[in-house]
């Protein structure tokens, strides 16, 4: 990862990002009676060549954030700035140009590839949308080169997706994402549908491609060990908001938000001795509905530290924008009124076998 200072300009900056889905009733005359607050105020920055991991349990809004970053979903409010330009206000040619530089790798390799298209057509389809990238006569060779880059035989160019395994299909999806030589790849749980051994292969591939193509990643996942292996910084989401963000080692070794502490305490530890000496945090209650989140701190209904202040006052991340890309290894913050360090998982116990 390139060195970044506290004044480094981010390649991508997200501020106050909100996505609400309206809830309506009635058949002929529909009336909005509420909204599902899938994302409700997310802020982060991404540096050039950096990997930002976003973790959280299912339904916290991670995938919705991913879709807004590539403009598959329009935000209800907030800004997404790519090199200083707000892409949420773009349309036409300007938006098309930005989309070329921000590509996505989807979660499910079985549904993200068109079964009626050959591998060559799937990977080459971006060239149909952006013909300036590759003349027609060069496209077949470019597709074969991409297959080789992701570890597949270039001779597979005329095969169909059903002829490949899940890991191979995800490599095809990665090749498609690389076709336009983007600067940013948003990876939405790219290995969650794969076997553990195949996960390691795909993560190592992404790691290599980042250096080879000078890529920046927004890596979304729920597997904490994988996120730690690939990420430079980590943001933890809960019920539509980021509750803690910082350098990966600082988040994993010195978590200060109760939710982060609970997540890390649930990670399986292979060493029996280490397992006996760590504190297991058991959360009570269910995750509140995003259509009716709690007042104040959204985690308070499951938090053992909750007090009256948590019900009345929304805790905010206090890291100023100019410090979001700091190289200070201890710089991180929690959206908690009573944040304090709790060492719950030894550093070496999160080894996922990825080499």
């Amino acid at each position: 990862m390139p060195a970044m200072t506290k004044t480094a300009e981010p390649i991508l900056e997200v501020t106050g990002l909100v996505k609400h889905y309206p809830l309506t009733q009635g058949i002929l005359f529909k009336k909005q009676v509420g909204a599902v607050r899938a994302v409700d105020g997310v802020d982060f920055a991404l540096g050039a060549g950096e990997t930002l991991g976003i973790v959280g349990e299912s339904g916290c809004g991670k995938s919705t954030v991913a879709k807004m970053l590539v403009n598959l979903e329009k935000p209800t409010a907030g800004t997404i700035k790519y090199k200083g330009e707000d892409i949420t206000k773009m349309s036409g040619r300007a938006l098309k140009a930005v989309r070329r530089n921000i590509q996505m790798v989807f979660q499910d390799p079985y549904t993200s590839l068109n079964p009626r298209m050959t591998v060559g057509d799937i990977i080459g389809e971006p060239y149909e949308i952006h013909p300036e990238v590759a003349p027609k006569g060069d496209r077949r060779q470019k597709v074969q080169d991409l297959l080789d880059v992701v570890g597949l035989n270039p001779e597979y160019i005329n095969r169909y997706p059903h002829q490949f395994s899940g890991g191979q299909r995800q490599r095809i999806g990665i090749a498609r994402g690389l076709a336009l030589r983007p600067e940013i790849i948003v990876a939405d749980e790219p290995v969650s549908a794969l076997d553990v051994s195949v996960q390691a292969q795909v993560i190592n591939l992404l790691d290599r491609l980042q250096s080879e193509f000078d890529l920046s990643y927004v890596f979304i996942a729920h597997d904490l060990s994988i996120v730690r292996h690939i990420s430079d910084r980590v943001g933890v989401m809960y019920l539509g908001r980021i509750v803690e963000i910082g350098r990966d080692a600082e988040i994993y070794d010195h978590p200060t938000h109760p939710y982060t502490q609970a997540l890390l305490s649930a990670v399986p530890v292979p060493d029996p001795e280490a397992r006996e000496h760590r504190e297991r945090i058991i959360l009570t209650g269910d995750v509140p509905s995003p259509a009716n989140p709690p007042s104040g701190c959204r985690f308070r209904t499951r938090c053992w530290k909750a007090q009256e202040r948590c019900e009345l006052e929304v805790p905010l991340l206090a890291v100023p924008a100019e410090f979001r890309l700091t190289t200070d290894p201890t710089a991180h913050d929690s959206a908690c009124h009573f944040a304090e360090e709790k060492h719950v998982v030894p550093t070496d116990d999160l080894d996922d076998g990825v080499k």
Side-chain angles (χ1 to χ4, degrees), residues 12-19 37-46 52-57 59-66 68-69 79 218-221 233-247 251 256-260 263 296-299 314-319 324 331-337 339:
L12 190 72
E13 188 169 15
V14 174
T15 306
L17 194 63
V18 173
K19 181 61 179 180
R37 301 179 179 183
V39 178
D40 208 20
V42 165
D43 301 86
F44 64 80
L46 178 70
L52 173 67
I54 299 180
V55 301
E57 56 196 319
C60 70
K62 306 186 301 295
S63 292
T64 305
V65 169
M68 287 190 284
L69 293 180
T79 61
V218 177
F219 189 91
I220 294 170
R233 289 186 301 126
V234 177
V236 182
M237 281 192 72
Y238 181 80
L239 208 61
R241 291 179 179 168
I242 290 180
V243 296
E244 187 165 6
I245 190 168
R247 307 295 298 179
I251 293 291
T256 60
H257 194 282
Y259 178 64
T260 309
L263 282 181
C297 176
R298 297 191 169 191
F299 186 62
V314 178
L316 301 174
L317 290 170
V319 180
R324 288 177 186 165
H332 88 281
D333 196 40
S334 301
C336 178
H337 298 306

Side-chain angles (χ1 to χ4, degrees), residues 63 66-67 72 104-115 122 161-162 164-174 176 186-195 198-199 202 220-222:
S63 292
K67 291 175 183 177
L72 291 178
M104 187 167 183
V105 176
F106 295 90
Q107 175 178 356
D108 189 352
Y110 292 91
T111 59
S112 61
L113 305 180
N114 190 331
I122 290 171
H162 73 270
F164 296 89
S165 66
Q168 289 175 322
R169 292 186 197 192
Q170 195 59 289
R171 290 172 185 266
I172 294 168
I174 293 170
R176 177 177 59 186
V186 180
D188 183 16
E189 304 212 34
V191 297
S192 63
L194 307 176
D195 293 338
V198 180
Q199 287 182 0
V202 173
I220 294 170
H222 60 266

Side-chain angles (χ1 to χ4, degrees), residues 100-238:
R100 172 181 166 180
N101 291 309
I102 307 176
Q103 292 290 300
M104 187 167 183
V105 176
F106 295 90
Q107 175 178 356
D108 189 352
Y110 292 91
T111 59
S112 61
L113 305 180
N114 190 331
R116 297 186 177 184
M117 295 175 67
T118 66
V119 167
D121 290 336
I122 290 171
I123 299 175
E125 189 173 23
Y127 299 137
E128 299 292 334
I129 302 170
H130 297 270
E132 72 280 3
V133 177
K136 282 191 175 182
D138 297 339
R139 292 176 189 175
R140 183 178 178 85
Q141 184 59 52
K142 284 185 174 292
V143 170
Q144 289 181 317
D145 291 343
L146 286 168
L147 284 171
D148 184 54
V149 163
V150 299
L152 294 176
N153 191 328
E155 295 180 4
Y156 293 167
I157 191 170
N158 293 319
R159 293 189 179 185
Y160 288 86
H162 73 270
Q163 296 175 281
F164 296 89
S165 66
Q168 289 175 322
R169 292 186 197 192
Q170 195 59 289
R171 290 172 185 266
I172 294 168
I174 293 170
R176 177 177 59 186
L178 290 173
L180 299 176
R181 295 296 192 268
E183 295 180 275
I184 300 170
I185 285 186
V186 180
D188 183 16
E189 304 212 34
V191 297
S192 63
L194 307 176
D195 293 338
V196 174
S197 60
V198 180
Q199 287 182 0
Q201 296 171 16
V202 173
I203 290 298
N204 289 332
L205 171 63
L206 290 172
D207 220 2
R208 175 174 63 81
L209 293 175
Q210 183 171 36
S211 299
E212 188 173 337
F213 291 90
D214 195 22
L215 296 167
S216 301
Y217 289 146
V218 177
F219 189 91
I220 294 170
H222 60 266
D223 189 316
L224 295 166
S225 57
I226 288 177
V227 169
R228 174 159 204 178
H229 175 82
I230 197 171
S231 299
D232 299 301
R233 289 186 301 126
V234 177
V236 182
M237 281 192 72
Y238 181 80

